[in-house]
Amino acid sequence: MKTEHSRAEMIKEISGVNPLKCMKCGKCSASCPSYNEMDIKPHQFVSYVINEDIESLVKSKSLWKCLSCFACVERCPRDVKPGKLIDAARQIVVRERGKNYLLADDIPELIDPDTPQQLLVSALRRYRR
Amino acid sequence: MSIEKNEEFRPKIVAFCCNWCSYAGADLAGSSRMSYSADVKIIRVPCSCRVNPMFILRAFERGADGVIMCGCHPGDCHYTSGNYYARRRMTLLFSMLDYIGVENGRTRVEWVSAAEGAKFSQTMHEFVDKITSLGKNVRLEDLRCRN
Amino acid sequence: MQRIGVFVCHCGTNIAATVDVKKVVEMALHEPGVVHAEDYAYMCSEAGQELIHKAIKEKHLTGLVVCSCSPRMHETTFRNAAEKAGLNPYMVEIANIREHCSWIHKDIEEATEKAVILMRAAVAKVNLDAPLKPGESRVTKRALVIGGGIAGIQTALDIAEAGYPVDIVEKTPSIGGRMSQLDKTFPTLDCSSCILTPKMGEVNAHPLINIYTYSEVESVSGFVGDFTVEIRKKARSVDMNKCTGCGVCQEKCPSKKTPSEFNRGLNTRSAIYTPFAQAVPNVPVIDRDACIKFKTGKCGICSKVCQAGAIDYDQIDEIVTEKYGAIVVATGFDMIKLDKYDEYAYSQSKDVITSLELERIMNAAGPTGGHLERLSDGKAPKEMVFIQCVGSRCADNRGKSYCSKICCMYTAKHAMLIRDKYPDTNVTVFYIDVRTPGKNFDEFYRRAVEDYGVNYIKGQVGKVIPQPNGKLLVQGADLLDNKQILKEADMVVLAAAIEPNPDVRKIATMLTASIDTNNFLTEAHAKLRPVESPTAGIFLSGVCQGPKDIPETVSQAGAAAVKAIGLLAKDKLLTNPCTAHSDELLCNGCSQCANVCPYGAITYEDKEVNDHGVRETRRIAVVNDALCQGCGACTVTCPSGAMDLQGFSNRQILAEVDAICR
Amino acid sequence: MQELINRAKELLADGTVARVLGWKAGDLPYNPEPAYFEKEEDFADFVYNGFCGANLSKYMIEASKLEGKTLVCLKPCDTYSFQELMKEHRVDRDKAYIIGVGCKGKLDIEKIRAMGIKGIKSISGAEIEDEAETLTIDTIYGEKSCAYKDAMLERCHVCKGKDHMIFDEIIGESKDTKDADRFAEVEKIEAMSPEDKFAFFQKELSKCIRCNACRNVCPACSCRKCVFDSNKFDSSQKANVDSFEEKMFHIIRAFHVAGRCTDCGECSRVCPQGIRLHLFNRKFIKDINELYGEYQAGADLEPRTPLTNYDVEDAEPGIVAERG
């Protein structure tokens, strides 16, 4: 098991985001179409990464509620891109299941029936190679 | 001939900074505590157009591993046009150095304004990294000048 | 051989904490020419300067090296100290071991090693220093103020009050600037024009102030104390001397479709126009792009109705050339363009407006006669939403990285005024932070919340969606309640970021004044010289230097005036003695140096020289010390090395190179 | 040649000129040397043939100081140098009577020698009147021959054209002998790896003996005192013991003449070590043409040269690295 610190670093590395740039304006949360279904809100995501509480993040409902519509990425005035952080957190989960990349056969059992379609498309784009 | 790999390689870097913009930019980097390598030593000149190609060749002759010249952004020269002349001179000189086989990463021109402390520090970081990767200047050093 | 003293400053712990100053002193004593070296806590202090004085006297020093902060900080201090002790001030060199060393390095060994090298380079340079004597230049006792907003007006008044003539150059047809567009001012809620128009009148009537409106600076040459400026007086098509300002021409003008610049395009104006009723001068201009006479040759109504016969269609641009001792830049600001912020629907809905547009709507002389109404249907809004930080504090390339400073306060003002005048209208402000440093500022903001019931919500708005019913759906989040908010509003007001007037770049280039990445003019020192440009003789007034509210602008305008007056009060200025000189035995007279001299300081003379016994007449370059500013462009152009720069000579710079590469 | 001599004598006789600057026969058939002719009888030695490569414009610096006018014989390419010197106020146009002499390409004795032709006694076909395609060389080993073209100086293969830029009168016909790309060699070097470039110049320049012939012959290198001879840069002439010395000398020399060098090729012609010094100058010329627009020094009398001029849109120095 990796330390929380190294997981936080990995999230930063995967996403290419510097969460310290966040000025807590909340435009991400304001823009988020899945806001109401999330337990940890997009703007809070940034604080969780800063505070290195990745465990809460990967256990959160929000992780799988994000549609990856990237409205927050598009509109963030500080280039913090919470959507990318969420994406990176998801990848951490995937990697920690022992593989960096998903095999096609693994996908069906991983899919939560509640998972939004858009996320699947987004995942396919990411992992197709 | 192979260059001896030396873990302790500390490049000698000479930076010519114009008094009005880049030297002030370096001051701002200092007062903002934006660190960069101690291998960079700054020489103050009134304007980038004061930098004679002879100075640059002399630095290499004396064992400098990299020479960087910083001036006001084109259009912002304190003396109106100095950096425009400097730009042509340095372009031609660097091209000539490249032509005779000196790695072109050893010389650089960057325009840094008095307000760009962060850019100054960043530029120096990049330049030091570049020179470190190129290693010791062996093509231009006059070994007699070593002590 | 020089006798050099090396003085190493601790700067408290600023230097001494990272640089082993004792070691620098010890190493200095091994350098050629160094006969004395010591360190002290604060070299720039009286006591420190006393040490220098004593050493010069006792050790008969001929040159000094001070290892301290940047020469841009204390070079003058130490030069003066040297001069007091009878040493030529140009025999002083500074090794910058603070900004370029102790402040940026952490490792003591590394920093000390670098400090020693910087000291060596300075010693090497002093060894080749020669005493220099500054020349003198005259000061033209007249100031130019570029920009006729409140900053320019205040600066001009203050300079003129001190007894010096001032010219104001204003691009638009009237002085007054942004302040004339404002309705009320925070935190006192005075009417903006009530306090501005008397000042405009005062400027207009002042015997020492000359206003060029509808004019632009065309070119600037010269230097501190002696600038030559060309001003383009654009053809107004109206004779300033004949016009009585009756306004009939504007009434009768048939071309009335041009968007009014003054009202931010919310309504239209005639082709012959004064921007606003209280314009100074109260003389209209003809907008030749809109005028039917200029476009088709027919019309000429204004000329027919003008009783004074002031209309002159044949007027042409006029170039006025004037000399000035000091120039004050007061070019002000504009709102940023919002075309990159589609999510706020600014371009899609007429009811999404900027704060400056709201100012015009709230103003009795504005497009709606002061009634708060929706521009789409003229209805009074019941739900108003204000969005803060639109384009300010942005790290992406859409907006500005800085805080525009005035938006929090004017939004509170707008909210308060609306709640006061229209108590039925709800006002919601979406904010990121509310910033109210300033006298009575926070109290003002609290009043908006506590007394006027303005609803402040922490959280930036994500999107504004125009609805089919004409309403605006505002999607935001309340970060404190952790709730997403959907609010139907009638009007949305965007606190758009402010940016320096786009013309400032051109002006800064003409003045060779430096400008930062945001196009704000750079001050000579962020704390200690905030109203001076690093370029001598150029002063900064108002928002051109950075975001400011009115009181700050006025105080900075006064400060800039004081600095300009300080310069104009001098009869003569000492010129920089670091000028170029040509060695007549080496000069080829080839004229290449004159080609690159930006000041026209180099001329050629046929001079008889004695070159090692050979007498002949040669064409020799001669530098005019009063014109030469010491850039050194000529020195590099000169192939024979005849041209050299005093204080930065070829051999000195080479000595520094050698010392660093040693 | 006779027409030229007759005209020169005529101008001398009527007092238009006080002397004639031309070439006189040397001790060998292929080494005529620049000379003044002041009296009728001096002309016995006067020659003008295919070996008269020397660019006489630089001699006009000193001639301009002499009493009276000097008749100077300039080939088309020499007139560029003369104009460049005029621009720099080094020569006095009023002191010069320029006879533009015809030129159909000048010869390089080294090229002839390189063909294995040794022991030369005399060469025919190099006289300017001949339209000879072939040189006939009488050697101690018998008669040899070669094509005129093959014996031409490098610079004539990249001839700037047959027109004189400045003259008072023209005697003789000229021919544009250009048959090669001026920058081909430069391009070849540019395409090399840094190591190969360095090795190439190291090899080329290590031949340099710092005799200063290149500098002394160069019409652009006309400083009263060269920086390498003065103490202004602490760069006084030193013996060559380290490879950097000659690199610095040649780079700076090329830099000092950049934008002023007319590419007359004299430096390469006179180098006793056969260093192709024009490769330096042409590199600058090529860069100037590419970056700042086509420029031919000496083609006009505009005072500003590329290095004493600028454009706000000029390329940044980083372009060197970008071009690779």
Side-chain angles (χ1 to χ4, degrees), chain B residues 12 23-24 26-27 30-31 33-36 38 40 43-44 46 49-50 58-59 62 75 77-79 89 116, chain C residues 70-72 75 96 99-100 103-105 114 509 512 517 599 630-631 633 635-637 644 648-650 658 661:
Chain B
K12 278 185 196 166
Y23 195 89
D27 279 357
S31 49
R33 312 294 198 275
M34 290 164 170
S35 77
Y36 52 87
V40 177
I43 293 180
R44 182 165 71 133
C49 69
R50 178 68 190 91
R58 171 74 150 245
R62 297 292 158 119
C77 175
H78 180 80
Y79 304 101
R89 291 169 186 163
E116 293 176 328
Chain C
S70 170
R72 301 174 74 254
E75 190 172 57
N96 184 347
E99 281 84 347
H100 293 184
W103 274 353
I104 45 168
H105 306 311
K114 178 166 174 183
T509 302
T512 69
T517 40
Y599 303 100
C631 65
T635 61
V636 183
T637 302
D644 209 346
F648 290 96
S649 70
N650 290 324
D658 292 356
C661 297

Side-chain angles (χ1 to χ4, degrees), chain D residues 183-320:
Chain D
F183 298 118
E185 266 184 302
V186 174
E187 275 161 18
K188 218 172 92 192
I189 298 167
E190 282 173 345
M192 294 181 186
S193 70
E195 288 69 28
D196 291 348
K197 286 175 185 172
F198 187 75
F200 174 83
F201 280 105
Q202 184 85 336
K203 188 166 166 235
E204 194 74 0
L205 289 182
S206 58
K207 293 187 273 186
C208 176
I209 52 170
R210 279 297 283 281
C211 67
N212 289 332
C214 49
R215 180 179 96 184
N216 295 344
V217 78
C218 174
C221 254
S222 61
C223 288
R224 292 183 209 284
K225 193 171 194 181
C226 175
V227 278
F228 286 95
D229 288 347
S230 80
N231 61 355
K232 285 280 163 181
F233 284 84
D234 288 344
S235 53
S236 308
Q237 187 80 257
K238 288 177 202 147
N240 273 325
V241 289
D242 191 281
S243 66
F244 184 74
E245 288 277 302
E246 60 264 14
K247 275 187 209 106
M248 175 135 163
F249 173 77
H250 290 293
I251 293 172
I252 292 293
R253 204 187 82 77
F255 189 84
H256 279 175
V257 301
R260 302 160 57 225
C261 166
T262 63
D263 201 7
C264 75
E266 285 286 89
C267 43
S268 296
R269 183 181 70 87
V270 300
C271 180
Q273 296 291 85
I275 304 172
R276 284 177 287 166
L277 291 163
H278 61 271
L279 290 178
F280 284 95
N281 301 321
R282 274 200 204 147
K283 168 64 179 165
F284 278 140
I285 292 169
K286 180 168 178 281
D287 279 342
I288 287 169
N289 284 349
E290 283 172 5
L291 296 169
Y292 312 125
E294 290 285 328
Y295 184 81
Q296 172 59 54
D300 56 40
L301 288 168
E302 275 298 307
R304 284 189 170 224
T305 66
L307 274 173
T308 57
N309 210 344
Y310 65 86
D311 188 290
V312 293
E313 301 295 337
D314 279 342
E316 292 296 328
I319 193 167
V320 175

Side-chain angles (χ1 to χ4, degrees), chain B residues 3-89:
Chain B
I3 300 164
E4 216 176 296
K5 279 268 177 270
N6 186 353
E7 291 301 318
E8 290 292 301
F9 173 61
R10 292 276 308 272
K12 278 185 196 166
I13 290 167
V14 179
F16 291 100
C17 289
C18 85
N19 183 42
W20 304 95
C21 289
S22 309
Y23 195 89
D27 279 357
L28 181 63
S31 49
S32 316
R33 312 294 198 275
M34 290 164 170
S35 77
Y36 52 87
S37 164
D39 303 331
V40 177
K41 314 286 188 307
I42 295 171
I43 293 180
R44 182 165 71 133
V45 288
C47 176
S48 50
C49 69
R50 178 68 190 91
V51 179
N52 196 310
M54 201 85 124
F55 301 162
I56 290 170
L57 296 187
R58 171 74 150 245
F60 283 125
E61 178 190 11
R62 297 292 158 119
D65 302 302
V67 179
I68 181 165
M69 185 189 89
C70 301
C72 307
H73 284 268
D76 293 350
C77 175
H78 180 80
Y79 304 101
T80 333
S81 52
N83 51 6
Y84 288 130
Y85 295 119
R87 183 164 64 179
R88 283 199 170 185
R89 291 169 186 163

Side-chain angles (χ1 to χ4, degrees), chain C residues 29 36-37 76 303 321 387 389 404 419 460 604 656:
Chain C
L29 288 166
H36 176 84
T76 324
S303 174
T321 307
I387 304 175
C389 294
S404 296
R419 291 285 298 154
Q460 180 68 300
Y604 295 85
E656 287 180 86

